[in-house]
């Protein structure tokens, strides 16, 4: 894992001290809220319905056990004993007090974490493939690239006041688990015909009010040109992006309005003009970063584990969990294990301090000290020996972390919605809970197969509803919650934006409607077809008819 | 004809703790039941002035007026958002999931 150098540590510590002074001045009245608000937002501190909310960055979703323990300690000491993992691979605390925030930030700095650039119109935390470094289909670990971007973008003077927030995601694999096509900039590590590794650059994707799939703006970018090219791409946006209307200020609108070709031309012109050398990191720094992400020393293990096979035979629930929640590892004898934070009855993405501690222990004992947060709000243990899976499962089970539903209908993404969020138009978590309860039966879930259900509590789409196979958007219709359903969205390499079924449904009716959609799929699917495939083949009418049939 | 008058309360979030608070007519309270409703246009104007007064700025963040309804049980928030704020907590048992899961294990 990446470790701060002196420079990183210095900036973060200085920032904590600076914010401590700002909080003091706010509490004594020397700063008004108008003066203070931009300062707190720069440090990830929002004000929600019931309390302040602190959003902590988890760079490209990677955490050490010690960092996870610190997050648990903060949840316990400064919050109500839990935290919420978000679709941007971050964690949010829902109940901290203003006067405590400087201490919380100091505790974070002590374990090389911070909340800088988790809010505001700047370049946010770069997200990545949660299976980075261990996926079988990977060309290269994307995290050194993410780290390079993190260093370049942190406190970048030119890009601190962009027209809007700016999100970058990187994947190193063909299978896109980082949803790069719905980011402002999506980066895919690719190999060209000559066998050289470089980057394919997607620009102008996004969700929110105007969902768009990003076009490719540069098909192959040599590795050393990454930072200058990003700088050029951002500069063109900063120059031409709209600032008069916040709903039209994201780069996707600019790329759309200019046309991808024109945008690409301007970027290339800027790129040709600029002094690229100042931005090209020296080989020593690149080597330093790479070294942190060097593959661990794997043990030489057989491909099969007798212990695992015996444990699966003895405990069908364990066998189900292994089948559903572990993923093939690139190294023989190892598995990628995914901890679902979606138990039936829980709030998607929430974990208690106890659970965080259990996950830290699991990482220490079974996963070389490392954890990853996924944009699906789950937690990955990237280096588990097949032999260790039974012991890992027992530990997870003792903390209620053993839901065997990865990628199934109850593995729902949901944003905080109207239960917490000041911008929400409707609730999302209780809707997710009602649907999960409806489909609680594990056999039924497995019969249904892969199904990504995603819920947002307003048009900002933090719950990624546009790219859900089934998407649910909560709106307010004259004071009443109303839920719009979309079908056929997908976030990956076959990205698409879901289509609206028609008029919305009441809060109470949502589980019935989802059940009817799922039943219709089961009725008409062809052998081996997933929900998404059936939808893409059969189209909207077949599903629409199931939910709007005349009474 | 003038629009029907809607009573309103003055609310915001406490500066230090961030919790929802309501103006009682004399102080800020973290209990919606203590809230005073402005029931005349003159009172609404007074609330509007109070929302931006330095006194408020030093105690409360983002003070605003929110509609309420008079019911036999007393004042009620007029929107779900305000009802959730008045309850001071999410509408679901926000700690239950994890606890239940632990028990079931
Ligand atoms: S989608 Fe809307 S309601 Fe949900 S977290 Fe984002 S801003 Fe809040």
């Amino acid at each position: 894992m990446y470790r701060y150098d002196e420079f990183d540590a210095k900036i973060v510590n200085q920032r904590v001290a600076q914010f401590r002074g700002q909080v003091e001045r706010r509490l004594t009245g020397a700063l008004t809220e108008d003066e203070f608000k931009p300062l707190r937002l720069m440090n990830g501190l929002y004000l929600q319905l019931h309390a302040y909310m602190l959003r902590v960055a988890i760079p490209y979703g990677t955490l050490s056990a010690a960092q996870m323990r610190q997050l648990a300690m903060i949840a316990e000491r400064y919050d109500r004993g839990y935290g919420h993992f978000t679709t941007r691979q971050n964690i949010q605390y829902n109940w901290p007090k203003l006067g405590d925030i400087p201490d919380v930030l100091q505790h974070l700095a002590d374990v090389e974490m911070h909340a800088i650039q988790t809010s505001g119109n700047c370049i946010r935390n770069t997200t990545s493939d949660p299976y980075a470094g261990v996926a079988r289909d990977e060309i290269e670990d994307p995290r050194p690239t993410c780290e390079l971007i993190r260093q370049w973008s942190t406190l970048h003077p030119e890009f601190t006041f962009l027209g809007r927030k700016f999100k970058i995601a990187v994947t190193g694999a063909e299978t896109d688990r980082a949803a790069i096509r719905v980011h402002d900039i999506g980066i895919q590590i690719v190999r060209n015909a000559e066998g050289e590794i470089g980057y394919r650059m997607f620009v102008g994707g996004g969700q929110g009010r105007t969902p768009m799939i990003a076009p490719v703006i540069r098909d192959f970018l040599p590795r050393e040109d990454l930072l200058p090219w990003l700088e050029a791409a951002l500069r063109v946006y900063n120059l031409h992006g709209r600032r008069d209307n916040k709903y039209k200020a994201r780069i996707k609108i600019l790329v759309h309005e200019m046309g991808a070709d024109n945008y690409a031309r301007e970027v290339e012109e800027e790129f040709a003009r600029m002094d690229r050398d100042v931005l090209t990191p020296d080989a020593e720094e690149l080597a330093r970063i790479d070294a942190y992400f060097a593959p661990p020393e794997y043990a030489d293990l057989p491909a099969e584990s007798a212990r695992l096979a015996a444990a699966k035979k003895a405990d069908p629930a364990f066998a189900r969990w292994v089948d559903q929640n572990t993923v093939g590892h690139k190294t023989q004898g190892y598995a990628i294990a995914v901890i679902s934070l979606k138990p039936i009855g829980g709030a998607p993405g929430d974990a208690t301090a106890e659970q965080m501690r259990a996950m830290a222990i699991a990482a220490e004992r079974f996963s070389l000290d490392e954890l990853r947060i996924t944009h699906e709000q789950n937690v990955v243990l990237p280096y588990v020996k097949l032999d260790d899976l039974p012991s890992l499962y027992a530990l997870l089970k003792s903390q209620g972390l053993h839901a065997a539903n990865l990628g199934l209908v109850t593995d729902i993404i949901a944003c905080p919605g109207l239960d917490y969020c000041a911008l929400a138009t409707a609730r999302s978590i209780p809707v997710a809970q009602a649907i999960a309860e409806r489909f609680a039966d594990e056999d039924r879930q497995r019969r249904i197969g892969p199904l990504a259900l995603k819920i947002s509590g307003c048009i900002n789409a933090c719950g990624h509803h546009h790219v859900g196979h089934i998407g649910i958007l909560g709106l307010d219709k004259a004071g009443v919650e109303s839920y719009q359903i979309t079908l056929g969205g997908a976030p990956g390499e076959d990205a698409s934006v879901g289509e609206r079924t028609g008029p919305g449904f009441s809060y109470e009716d949502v589980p019935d409607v989802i059940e009817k959609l799922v039943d219709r799929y089961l009725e008409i699917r062809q052998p081996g077809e997933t929900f998404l495939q059936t939808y893409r083949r059969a189209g909207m009418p077949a599903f629409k008819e199931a939910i709007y049939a005349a009474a | 004809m003038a629009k029907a008058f809607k009573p309103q309360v003055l609310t915001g979030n406490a500066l230090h703790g961030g919790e929802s608070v309501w103006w009682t007519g004399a102080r800020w309270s973290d209990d919606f039941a203590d809230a005073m409703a402005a029931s005349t246009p003159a009172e609404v104007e007074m609330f509007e002035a109070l929302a931006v007064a330095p006194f408020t700025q030093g105690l409360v963040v983002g003070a605003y007026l929110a509609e309420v309804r008079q019911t036999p049980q007393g004042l009620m928030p007029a929107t779900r958002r305000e009802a959730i704020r008045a309850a001071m907590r999410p509408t679901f048992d926000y700690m239950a999931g994890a606890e239940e899961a632990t028990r079931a294990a």
Side-chain angles (χ1 to χ4, degrees):
Chain A
M1 272 190 54
Y2 182 74
R3 298 296 314 262
Y4 279 8
D5 62 11
E6 295 148 69
F7 185 65
D8 295 311
K10 198 166 143 203
I11 321 184
V12 171
N13 281 303
Q14 278 176 350
R15 198 55 183 273
V16 174
Q18 184 190 47
F19 192 55
R20 191 179 292 280
Q22 290 161 346
V23 169
E24 265 164 33
R25 278 178 282 148
R26 175 67 184 114
L27 287 171
T28 56
L31 287 177
T32 65
E33 186 60 20
D34 284 349
E35 290 162 335
F36 181 65
K37 187 174 173 184
L39 302 174
R40 70 167 156 80
L41 288 176
M42 279 182 201
N43 290 283
L45 188 64
Y46 288 73
L47 185 64
Q48 297 286 44
L49 288 188
H50 310 287
Y52 289 97
M53 180 271 277
L54 181 68
R55 181 179 297 150
V56 177
I58 300 177
Y60 29 94
T62 300
L63 280 175
S64 68
Q67 288 173 326
M68 185 64 115
R69 265 214 183 81
Q70 195 80 331
L71 294 179
M73 183 281 284
I74 291 168
E76 213 156 54
R77 198 187 300 174
Y78 300 99
D79 207 273
R80 295 193 179 173
Y82 70 105
H84 175 74
F85 290 101
T86 75
T87 52
R88 299 223 67 254
Q89 302 179 306
N90 290 322
I91 183 170
Q92 295 182 175
Y93 292 107
N94 291 310
W95 309 92
K97 298 204 181 326
L98 179 57
D100 288 339
I101 298 297
D103 289 345
V104 173
L105 294 180
Q106 188 59 58
H107 289 305
L108 290 170
D110 292 347
V111 292
E112 305 188 345
M113 295 182 78
H114 61 72
I116 299 167
Q117 288 181 210
T118 59
S119 167
N121 294 336
C122 54
I123 303 172
R124 303 287 187 88
N125 186 26
T126 298
T127 53
S128 189
D129 184 349
Y131 304 160
V134 292
R136 281 184 179 157
D137 61 346
E138 185 171 273
I139 291 178
E140 179 182 278
D141 188 335
R143 291 172 305 159
T145 298
C146 295
E147 176 53 31
L148 200 59
I149 295 171
R150 188 193 70 82
Q151 295 188 9
W152 160 78
S153 63
T154 301
L155 311 184
H156 192 304
E158 186 178 334
F159 306 135
T160 301
F161 297 100
L162 294 168
R164 280 291 270 142
K165 56 186 165 185
F166 204 93
K167 300 175 181 178
I168 302 177
V170 188
T171 178
E174 188 58 43
T175 307
D176 177 8
R177 286 170 291 260
I180 63 167
R181 288 159 186 81
V182 287
H183 279 75
D184 295 293
I185 293 185
I187 303 176
Q188 184 188 0
I189 298 175
V190 290
R191 212 187 288 277
N192 67 8
E194 286 73 50
E196 295 155 338
I197 292 182
Y199 302 108
R200 180 171 296 143
M201 309 298 289
F202 295 81
V203 183
Q207 304 195 51
R209 190 170 296 257
T210 322
M212 287 189 189
I213 305 296
V216 175
I217 296 295
R218 174 70 105 89
D219 198 51
F220 185 85
L221 184 68
R223 193 192 272 287
E224 60 277 11
D225 289 340
L226 178 67
L227 295 185
W229 199 92
L230 283 174
E231 187 124 336
L234 267 287
R235 191 168 288 159
V236 171
Y237 164 58
N238 212 13
L239 205 63
H240 299 308
R242 288 177 63 167
R243 286 174 187 263
D244 58 325
N245 177 344
K246 88 181 237 209
Y247 300 120
K248 297 199 185 294
R250 294 289 285 263
I251 194 172
K252 61 189 171 189
I253 305 289
L254 178 73
V255 173
H256 184 74
E257 287 183 353
M258 280 178 87
D261 292 347
N262 288 329
Y263 171 77
R265 187 172 330 113
E266 291 222 11
V267 173
E268 298 302 340
E269 280 168 15
E270 177 60 30
F271 179 75
R273 200 164 37 224
M274 69 201 292
D275 179 0
R276 294 193 291 277
D277 289 346
V278 294
L279 280 163
T280 310
D282 58 69
E284 212 173 296
E285 177 59 13
L286 285 178
R288 189 183 79 89
I289 294 175
D290 273 341
Y292 285 120
F293 298 102
E297 293 220 359
Y298 289 108
D300 195 5
L301 300 172
E304 311 270 318
S305 154
R307 192 191 300 176
L308 172 61
K312 280 177 80 170
K313 211 162 173 193
D315 180 357
F318 169 64
R320 269 205 299 274
W321 181 81
V322 172
D323 292 345
Q324 202 61 48
N325 286 40
T326 67
V327 178
H329 199 284
K330 72 172 187 194
T331 308
Q332 175 171 307
Y334 285 82
I336 303 170
V338 186
I339 304 170
S340 162
L341 295 183
K342 322 289 177 65
I344 307 297
D350 277 12
T352 63
E354 277 301 295
Q355 289 177 321
M356 289 183 219
R357 235 173 256 128
M359 292 191 276
I361 292 170
E364 269 160 0
R365 278 199 210 148
F366 307 118
S367 181
L368 305 178
D369 214 30
E370 198 176 310
L371 306 120
R372 315 273 178 80
I373 309 304
T374 77
H375 81 267
E376 275 126 2
Q377 303 175 289
N378 292 319
V379 179
V380 170
L381 297 171
Y383 310 105
V384 184
K385 288 182 184 154
L386 295 179
D387 271 354
D388 285 338
L389 284 170
S391 315
L392 168 64
Y393 181 73
L395 171 65
L396 296 178
K397 194 171 166 189
S398 73
Q399 291 296 329
L401 289 167
H402 61 301
N405 60 355
L406 187 72
L408 300 179
V409 56
T410 58
D411 183 7
I412 300 171
I413 290 186
C415 78
L418 190 56
D419 286 288
Y420 294 100
C421 178
L423 301 172
T425 40
R427 287 172 289 169
S428 26
I429 294 170
V431 175
Q433 291 176 327
I435 296 170
E437 253 144 51
R438 182 68 63 94
F439 290 98
D441 182 278
E442 284 194 358
D443 291 329
R444 185 177 179 206
Q445 288 183 50
R446 288 150 69 86
R447 261 200 318 279
I448 297 165
L451 209 175
L453 218 152
K454 305 179 197 264
I455 311 177
S456 305
C458 81
I459 193 70
N460 287 325
C462 303
H464 295 184
H465 65 276
H466 292 301
V467 291
H469 302 162
I470 299 180
I472 303 179
L473 165 62
L475 296 169
D476 177 284
K477 287 266 140 75
V480 182
E481 288 163 309
S482 171
Y483 293 85
Q484 213 169 64
I485 312 260
T486 49
L487 299 177
E493 60 285 359
D494 59 344
S496 55
V497 171
E499 279 178 274
R500 215 176 288 167
T501 56
F505 297 91
S506 71
Y507 176 83
E508 291 73 19
D509 285 344
V510 173
D512 281 344
V513 171
I514 301 304
E515 197 165 29
K516 283 181 191 155
L517 289 168
V518 169
D519 286 346
R520 174 53 52 100
Y521 150 66
L522 293 175
E523 246 167 68
I524 64 173
R525 75 171 163 189
Q526 289 176 355
E529 248 180 10
T530 63
F531 182 92
L532 183 63
Q533 288 164 339
T534 300
Y535 176 78
R536 284 179 172 170
R537 173 181 54 78
M540 179 62 86
F543 288 91
K544 208 167 162 162
E545 192 239 0
I547 54 175
Y548 296 109
Chain B
M1 216 183 87
K3 270 210 293 194
F5 182 81
K6 302 228 174 87
Q8 315 217 31
V9 293
L10 179 59
T11 182
N13 289 70
L15 172 63
H16 177 71
E19 71 276 17
S20 304
V21 288
W22 291 266
W23 178 245
T24 66
R27 66 186 172 87
W28 290 94
S29 165
D30 62 3
D31 187 347
F32 176 81
D34 297 337
M36 169 193 162
S39 42
T40 65
E43 278 175 348
V44 167
E45 250 172 61
M46 194 186 79
F47 274 14
E48 279 164 355
L50 193 55
V52 295
F55 159 77
T56 304
Q57 294 278 309
L59 295 170
V60 174
V61 182
Y64 62 96
L65 274 69
E67 238 175 70
V68 286
R69 286 182 291 118
Q70 281 291 0
T71 74
Q73 290 79 42
L75 283 186
M76 298 289 262
T79 62
R80 180 175 305 277
R81 181 186 199 273
E82 290 304 315
I84 289 172
R85 287 184 72 247
M88 310 285 282
R89 49 163 298 157
T91 60
F92 62 95
D93 203 352
Y94 63 97
M95 294 301 297
E99 281 165 10
E100 219 172 79
T102 311
R103 263 201 310 280

